[in-house]
Amino acid sequence: MTGLPLPPVPEPYHLPFHYGALHNIGVDYLVDLDRARELLAKRHPGLSTARFDGGACVSLNYQLYFAQLSRV
């Protein structure tokens, strides 16, 4: 596993939790293919670009969650 483990749920709360709200916005835009390759090689060398109409598609996705946990 390459990611960080999730933190423990603090007392007095317990799983399961239920989403109280979800806010999500995504933006996709076309960028220069060579610039995208350069940035990926520097920051994320395991990823590669895909050509879209001569450019590369960059996606920005912001998500914010609110949850309600059980206090049983």
Side-chain angles (χ1 to χ4, degrees):
M1 183 170 159
T2 60
L4 296 174
L6 293 175
V9 176
E11 290 293 337
Y13 303 105
H14 302 277
L15 294 176
F17 73 92
H18 303 278
Y19 289 113
L22 164 63
H23 303 275
N24 182 39
I25 184 168
V27 178
D28 300 320
Y29 50 98
L30 196 62
V31 298
D32 179 71
L33 183 65
D34 292 331
R35 180 74 175 131
R37 283 184 179 149
E38 177 186 323
L39 286 172
L40 279 179
K42 181 189 286 185
R43 306 272 188 205
H44 302 284
L47 298 177
S48 61
T49 57
R51 185 184 307 268
F52 290 95
D53 226 7
C57 179
V58 172
S59 179
L60 172 67
N61 187 277
Y62 174 79
Q63 299 179 9
L64 176 65
Y65 300 88
F66 294 94
Q68 298 172 341
L69 292 120
S70 172
R71 286 188 68 160
V72 177

